[in-house]
Amino acid sequence: MRTTNWIVTATLLASFSAAAQQAADSQPSTQPPAVDVTQSAPATPAPTPATSAPAQSAQPATTDAQQASPAQPAPAPAPTTMDQVVNLFIEREHGLIKMLQTRTPVVETYLQNLTADAQLGAVPSGDHYFLGRMDMGEDIDRKDYLKEEEKSMQARLLGGFQKLYKVQYQPLGFSWMVYADRTDFDREHYNFRYARREFLGDVRCLVFDVTPKKGSGRGRFLGRIWVEDQGFNIVRLNGTYYPAPRNSYFFHMDSWRLNLIPGYWVPSFIYSEEGDFSAGVKNKMAFKAQTRIWGYDLKKGGKDDELTQIRVDSVTDESATAQDASPLQAERAWQQQAEDNVVERLTNAGLLAPEGDVDRILQTVVNNLEVTNNIDLPRPVRTRVLLTAPLETFSVGNTIVISRGLVDVLPDEASLAAVLAHELAHIVLGHNLGSKYAFNDRMLFSDEGTYQNLGFRHIPEEEQAADKKAIEFLKNSPYAQKLDSVGLFLKALQARAPQLNALLTTHLGNPLAEGGRVTRLSALESQGPALDNAKLDQIAALPLGGRVKINPWDDKAEMVKTAPVAITSARDKMPFEVTPFFPRLNRYGANAAAAPTTAANNSNTGN
Ligand SMILES: [Zn+2]
């Protein structure tokens, strides 16, 4: 079996080659001209007080209790005038708001403050991270996963800017553009002017400029929307809110939706950016921020789930010999139970992707390390993807977890092998024997309490031992000749570590760097050539978002498919940086043939 895996390696890992820079999907369309809001209008905390009617009979009943995917809207009669199109997309927007009322997706915002660098352009000077659940049934409300002290760090960030504007990087501030206007998206409050047709990805859109009517109140959407031309759903919003109250400020946002379920396009990515480095600009507030939304299909606090899911699959013991467990078997089963409990709990909290495509690649790399080091464990090593951006790995029992952000920034397979080797070393060295999570009462906490209730950190001695063992593994492995790129990655990480504290703050495992100093595998840091920004073929680390794509509805992770784009200057490298989103839009089902999501390989979420 292992030999077959070897053969598979080459093809699988083609998607993890050192292909260099990932660029946002190329688009046939052009960027919309910047909406003329220039004013840098002072802005406001929340767009509008949303006082929607209490969610009555929340959700049209679904036929399939397991799937719980919302009922499709009736197909709209083909409109013949632009006026009818406007009516249709207003209606569809209200339909979306209603459909999502019962949902509490995960919202993550990662923000980098920027400073000007002569060689590299705008580079990060600091960063901030927010993670929470958003209750879409009420006025936008976020429950924060992060601890109190981390939250107060958010406040500290305001720094010098507070005097210029009362800018608050309020977590929910970045979720405003989930909708254009939650309560008053209608003709009484807005003018809609048709601009043109345009393709976004594979989807033909009608583009409208949206301006608030005079006297329609503060914090109204001002910008442009893209409406797809079949169901007339809004698929993208770009602009800001206007007018803002005195002394406050609205961010500019570019908000994208994906057609993840039939009939609806759900808010998925929001990019925000402010800043102007041109000469003479006084207020140099500058940042870039990515907001990602996922976990739409998570059960709301587990409550909705109680009665619909009491369905015990016909469980029969299919083990060949129905013998009693020996003490050793019992011990292993106990360990397995602890591991499964944690994996299941993290998945249900919207923090772990279900088993999928990315795991096949990770597992192949782990397998390469195991085979070449003659590692034979009583239970197989599994891998899973943590859905969040901060760079972290940890392992629980024999399951290695690596964050989406870390997979994104790793330049090649050898550096992926290096971070996995560290966790494999913990497993081999028997550092993961804590089985306290085999008791189910320890799993009974709110999703928001995950980071307070679970933790897989090791003591420094174990960290050092794991690093040492990992380097041994790597030197026996197919990656032995490629450790220069691991060294280069660690140098790039070191170069940015002092500015990227939030990206390097882990929530469940040990950090890669502490106090601005890389600690993980630091013995390899001296390996390889010196970091040289001017060398265009030296790619030490990638920007965020270039490798792993998350399906915001069901949290499945897959590898991004992008064609390599030539790097023409040091500015194109953007290691660890935030970039705009440009997802390639397509309609639900368009990729069905390509996505191998059959019930067969899809069933295991950790029990
Ligand atoms: Zn470790």
Side-chain angles (χ1 to χ4, degrees):
M1 175 181 121
R2 276 175 171 167
T3 34
T4 33
N5 280 349
W6 264 108
I7 297 157
V8 175
T9 314
T11 40
L12 269 183
L13 298 175
S15 54
F16 213 95
S17 66
Q21 207 71 332
Q22 314 285 334
D25 261 344
S26 60
Q27 294 287 321
S29 58
T30 49
Q31 278 278 49
V35 185
D36 188 19
V37 202
T38 39
Q39 307 298 41
S40 256
T44 193
T48 43
T51 38
S52 66
Q56 28 190 315
S57 80
Q59 200 46 35
T62 54
T63 46
D64 184 350
Q66 272 171 283
Q67 190 71 8
S69 73
Q72 267 194 73
T80 51
T81 65
M82 279 303 161
D83 242 23
Q84 290 172 356
V85 171
V86 170
N87 290 342
L88 280 171
F89 71 67
I90 288 175
E91 192 188 314
R92 293 302 306 128
E93 187 71 356
H94 291 141
L96 177 74
I97 292 169
K98 186 153 185 264
M99 188 276 284
L100 291 179
Q101 263 174 5
T102 55
R103 305 285 162 170
T104 57
V106 178
V107 181
E108 177 193 64
T109 298
Y110 177 59
L111 177 152
Q112 291 181 336
N113 289 102
L114 304 175
T115 186
D117 176 276
Q119 186 191 19
L120 301 174
V123 296
S125 58
D127 66 345
H128 296 273
Y129 183 71
F130 316 108
L131 182 72
R133 290 283 283 272
M134 180 163 66
D135 189 335
M136 302 190 77
E138 294 152 33
D139 193 3
I140 296 171
D141 163 34
R142 281 176 67 151
K143 293 178 182 164
D144 229 290
Y145 279 68
L146 306 177
K147 288 180 232 149
E148 281 307 316
E149 61 255 42
E150 286 167 327
K151 277 195 243 174
S152 68
M153 270 186 45
Q154 299 171 10
R156 244 184 288 150
L157 165 86
L158 299 174
F161 299 134
Q162 199 159 16
K163 285 179 192 149
L164 302 178
Y165 317 98
K166 270 191 191 146
V167 177
Q168 299 219 344
Y169 291 131
Q170 286 172 337
L172 64 81
F174 296 95
S175 328
W176 292 338
M177 213 172 275
V178 161
Y179 305 122
D181 188 325
R182 199 175 189 291
T183 50
D184 299 312
F185 190 67
D186 52 35
R187 289 176 182 276
E188 284 83 80
H189 295 82
Y190 290 97
N191 294 312
F192 300 95
R193 195 181 60 79
Y194 171 71
R196 62 162 180 265
R197 280 176 205 278
E198 185 173 284
F199 270 94
L200 291 180
D202 303 333
V203 176
R204 193 166 65 168
C205 297
L206 306 167
V207 184
F208 289 84
D209 286 329
V210 181
T211 48
K213 282 196 168 154
K214 249 202 180 123
S216 63
R218 279 180 174 156
R220 295 300 182 190
F221 177 74
L222 175 67
R224 176 163 278 203
I225 58 173
W226 283 253
V227 178
E228 47 89 16
D229 73 348
Q230 288 181 15
F232 301 95
N233 295 286
I234 297 175
V235 302
R236 182 185 180 192
L237 309 108
N238 176 298
T240 187
Y241 293 93
Y242 180 89
R246 200 191 296 235
N247 293 332
S248 359
Y249 188 90
F250 277 124
F251 304 136
H252 291 84
M253 291 181 228
D254 189 27
S255 174
W256 293 80
R257 297 177 177 176
L258 300 178
N259 194 190
L260 302 171
I261 49 169
Y264 293 95
W265 289 71
V266 295
S268 303
F269 307 110
I270 303 172
Y271 175 70
S272 323
E273 177 187 295
E274 298 292 336
D276 184 351
F277 289 108
S278 43
V281 175
K282 262 184 14 200
N283 300 327
K284 295 197 173 166
M285 179 191 74
F287 71 81
K288 294 195 274 190
Q290 286 185 340
T291 296
R292 292 159 195 269
I293 306 169
W294 69 81
Y296 280 103
D297 209 19
L298 294 170
K299 303 295 175 285
K300 190 172 185 173
K303 277 174 287 179
D304 304 352
D305 202 24
E306 276 170 23
L307 291 171
T308 51
Q309 292 286 329
I310 299 184
R311 183 180 65 90
V312 179
D313 291 307
S314 56
V315 180
T316 47
D317 187 350
E318 287 168 6
S319 51
T321 50
Q323 290 167 342
D324 294 324
S326 73
L328 178 60
Q329 283 169 325
E331 173 63 25
R332 285 180 186 163
W334 185 244
Q335 302 286 352
Q336 184 74 52
Q337 190 175 336
E339 180 179 333
D340 290 348
N341 280 350
V342 170
V343 166
E344 183 185 17
R345 189 67 193 84
L346 285 173
T347 308
N348 291 343
L351 293 171
L352 217 55
E355 225 173 337
D357 288 358
V358 181
D359 296 315
R360 292 218 318 275
I361 291 174
L362 301 178
Q363 244 141 16
T364 305
V365 174
V366 170
N367 195 53
N368 286 346
L369 293 166
E370 287 186 280
V371 171
T372 46
N373 285 281
N374 299 314
I375 296 168
D376 205 1
L377 296 161
R379 294 188 298 122
V381 174
R382 303 184 296 180
T383 60
R384 294 296 278 270
V385 176
L386 194 68
L387 293 162
T388 49
L391 313 185
E392 83 176 290
T393 61
F394 60 91
S395 41
V396 43
N398 280 18
T399 297
I400 297 177
V401 178
I402 179 168
S403 68
R404 182 202 84 226
L406 183 53
V407 179
D408 275 347
V409 299
L410 292 170
D412 58 8
E413 191 185 331
S415 48
L416 176 63
V419 295
L420 294 172
H422 174 92
E423 297 303 336
L424 182 62
H426 280 306
I427 293 170
V428 169
L429 293 170
H431 293 167
N432 292 352
L433 294 184
S435 55
K436 65 175 180 175
Y437 299 121
F439 288 106
N440 290 287
D441 58 288
R442 293 205 164 101
M443 297 295 120
L444 299 177
F445 47 81
S446 71
D447 289 348
E448 297 79 49
T450 303
Y451 288 162
Q452 286 76 50
N453 285 275
L454 297 180
F456 311 99
R457 288 190 176 84
H458 292 283
I459 55 173
E461 290 73 21
E462 289 183 344
E463 282 300 287
Q464 285 153 22
D467 272 350
K468 190 160 169 268
K469 194 83 186 161
I471 291 170
E472 260 176 63
F473 290 163
L474 290 167
K475 290 193 168 155
N476 287 332
S477 78
Y479 310 107
Q481 304 309 314
K482 297 169 192 153
L483 298 184
D484 281 6
S485 70
V486 182
L488 207 50
F489 171 74
L490 294 171
K491 282 177 205 142
L493 186 62
Q494 181 55 57
R496 287 281 167 92
Q499 287 80 44
L500 300 181
N501 188 46
L503 191 64
L504 288 165
T505 299
T506 56
H507 300 284
L508 293 165
N510 290 87
L512 303 186
E514 270 172 301
R517 181 72 234 160
V518 171
T519 47
R520 180 71 50 89
L521 295 168
S522 51
L524 290 178
E525 202 185 315
S526 53
Q527 186 109 11
L531 194 64
D532 183 356
N533 290 324
K535 274 186 81 177
L536 297 188
D537 61 346
Q538 187 189 77
I539 304 299
L542 303 183
L544 288 163
R547 287 208 191 275
V548 182
K549 191 162 75 173
I550 306 293
N551 177 320
W553 192 263
D554 60 19
D555 296 353
K556 284 186 185 144
E558 58 177 304
M559 299 305 283
V560 169
K561 297 176 201 80
T562 49
V565 174
I567 288 188
T568 57
S569 81
R571 291 178 183 224
D572 287 347
K573 293 188 179 180
M574 303 187 289
F576 308 105
E577 290 179 24
V578 161
T579 64
F581 292 111
F582 240 94
R584 182 164 191 94
L585 300 189
N586 47 39
R587 295 186 184 278
Y588 178 79
N591 273 347
T597 37
T598 59
N601 58 15
N602 176 17
S603 55
N604 187 355
T605 45
N607 7 282

